[in-house]
Amino acid sequence: MPDPNGFLRYPRRMPDRRPVPVRISDWREVYPPAEESLVREQATRCMDCGIPFCHDGCPLGNRIPDWNDLVRTGDWAAAVESLHATNNFPEFTGRLCPAPCEAACVLGIADDPVTIKQVEVEIANAAFDRGLVTPAAPAAPTGRRVAVVGSGPAGLAAAQQLVRAGHAVTVYERDDAIGGLLRYGIPDFKLEKEHIDRRVAQLTAEGVQFRTGVNVGVDVTAEQLRAEYDAVLLACGALAGRDTPETPGRGLRGVHQAMEHLVAANRVVAGRAETAAVDAAGKHVVIIGGGDTAADCLGAAHRQGTAGVHQLDLYPEPPTTRDAGRDPWPTWPWLLRNYPAHEEGGERVFAVAVQEFVDDGTGQVRAVRVAEVTVEKRDGRRIVTALPGSEREIPADLVLLAIGFEGTEEQPLLAQFGVSRNSRGAVDARPDWQTDVDGVFVAGDMHRGASLIVWAIAEGRSAAAAIHSYLGGPGTLPAPVTASTQPLAAR
């Protein structure tokens, strides 16, 4: 039974971040492990609602009130078991997910929501610290073989579910290490890579085979995979970055996609490269975009020793509290989100649009010319209007485009498997998670488009359930979402 007065006795509190001067001198995670007393205190704020909307906020269907109360009472082993019942990788989601569950927390209607994400990550930390994460014994071998193309959270979740059900699973990854976008796309100050390595070790011990440095469609053909495996899951992510080819000066040196910067920086941190091909050291940096990727670039630039950063956002500055008329509870609200990287420095500029990347005369960018703008929607289209006389230049030696993604990349494997990108750049799935080609399944960002890590894991688990059924496996596997499930939204 939860503490009925916990939310009245304790305000929302987060653990202290590492001091800015200390953390920008390395690439270690911003948050140190929280004290157990703080975690149990914050778990006590959970009201164990009669109808816990946090379940609907999270596509994984995490049993949030259950493991909150188990943490409150100090039963960490049971909390670990409850958390892993719905989430293969809580140490990833607890660090990287923006927590739509907290936006849907009933306590958040009139108070600050429960620190669900922080409790989650501390349960995951406790699981490893106390030796509670061990390889699961697989079911009896089914004799069926499955290839998973892509080793991000969707592919890894599907692989783990399938191998535990007795299928032989091989994961193909074109990079030199497992993890997909988590490996080189996410900076270590958000996710140190030991967390990936520990899970890969667990999956390996459970029987998953990994093949790195293999670009399916180039190094091995779709025809070869179809001949060798009974089913194939495509989980290649959505890494086609949105660009601005129509903006004058886009072809100048020094103007890059955000992922070019992040991957280069993360490979240096991982010891896979000596220098970063795109480096902010000593440069005036302009980051275009206001989301997670832009904040990752901001934090990376600080650690590389930038001379200064401006982060540009097309939209006006959001409110600091929920606008119930626009975003009623329990939907995800449009809010000003201050990331740890913003605490570290830089200037945010709202309601501006780039008019030109300015040439220094040698083909190198020297500035970004911007104008103040208004943004409105008409008939479903976004209309951006520049305000006359508002143009100005912002010095820039390096410009990073962090304006979203346009779906999965055009790559040889698509044509070889006989699938194609839709108008959103994603690959469609039938209700059984199969593409238009029998035996070829799709999940994660490749199917949904760039989305949250919890959706990737949820789709990976659900696709695994569909594959298990397709292969005639005994019983059923958990499937938290359907191929058409959408996030909570006001209609």
Side-chain angles (χ1 to χ4, degrees), residues 33-336:
E35 294 290 336
E36 181 175 335
S37 58
L38 174 62
V39 182
R40 293 180 63 176
E41 169 196 288
Q42 291 301 298
T44 301
R45 298 184 70 240
C46 179
M47 301 184 293
D48 191 18
C49 309
I51 301 178
F53 276 80
C54 55
H55 286 193
D56 293 313
C58 177
L60 285 165
N62 282 335
R63 303 169 183 173
I64 295 165
D66 293 359
W67 41 256
N68 270 332
D69 197 49
L70 291 166
V71 169
R72 178 185 71 85
T73 58
D75 192 344
W76 289 93
V80 169
E81 182 179 0
S82 179
L83 180 54
H84 278 99
T86 57
N87 187 350
N88 299 72
F89 314 121
E91 69 277 22
F92 300 165
T93 56
R95 287 172 168 83
L96 302 177
C97 183
C101 54
E102 293 187 15
C105 175
V106 174
L107 183 57
I109 297 174
D111 198 350
D112 293 326
V114 176
T115 59
I116 299 170
K117 175 178 170 177
Q118 188 62 39
V119 175
E120 176 184 35
V121 77
E122 295 303 340
I123 296 173
N125 290 343
F128 284 99
D129 292 345
R130 299 172 187 229
L132 300 174
V133 177
T134 56
T142 64
R144 298 289 193 166
R145 295 168 54 81
V146 181
V148 177
V149 184
S151 69
L156 292 180
Q160 186 167 61
Q161 295 295 100
L162 289 166
V163 79
R164 288 178 173 181
H167 307 295
V169 181
T170 301
V171 176
Y172 290 83
E173 170 56 56
R174 67 182 178 184
D175 276 338
D176 56 12
I178 295 298
L181 188 66
L182 300 180
R183 176 63 66 174
Y184 296 127
I186 303 295
D188 280 44
F189 56 79
K190 289 177 66 175
L191 177 73
E192 293 182 27
K193 301 309 179 279
E194 67 174 349
H195 303 298
I196 302 174
D197 297 337
R198 293 190 301 193
R199 282 298 180 183
V200 171
Q202 182 196 30
L203 268 68
T204 300
E206 291 176 349
V208 176
Q209 301 291 314
F210 291 103
R211 293 190 60 188
T212 58
V214 179
N215 189 355
V216 173
V218 178
D219 302 314
V220 59
T221 67
E223 183 180 7
Q224 289 173 300
L225 290 189
R226 295 300 307 274
E228 187 174 350
Y229 297 93
D230 300 296
V232 177
L233 173 63
L234 303 179
C236 305
L239 297 177
R242 186 170 290 120
D243 211 329
T244 60
E246 73 287 348
T247 304
R250 170 60 183 92
L252 294 175
R253 297 191 308 275
V255 183
H256 298 274
Q257 284 284 346
M259 293 310 299
E260 296 177 49
H261 174 233
L262 291 174
V263 170
N266 294 332
R267 289 187 68 84
V268 171
V269 175
R272 302 281 183 166
E274 293 186 4
T275 59
V278 181
D279 197 332
K283 297 176 181 176
H284 294 280
V285 179
V286 171
I287 302 169
I288 303 174
D292 286 5
T293 303
D296 291 348
C297 289
L298 178 61
H302 292 320
R303 285 156 181 78
Q304 289 177 325
T306 177
V309 185
H310 286 81
Q311 182 183 346
L312 312 184
D313 196 321
L314 180 67
Y315 294 97
E317 183 172 344
T320 56
T321 58
R322 181 193 293 269
D323 179 348
R326 171 194 164 105
D327 303 307
W329 177 90
T331 62
W332 180 251
W334 182 56
L335 294 173
L336 179 64

Side-chain angles (χ1 to χ4, degrees), residues 312-317 349-353 371-375 385 387 390:
L312 312 184
D313 196 321
L314 180 67
Y315 294 97
E317 183 172 344
V349 185
F350 294 93
V352 294
E372 297 176 14
V373 298
T374 60
V375 183
T385 305
L387 302 181
S390 66

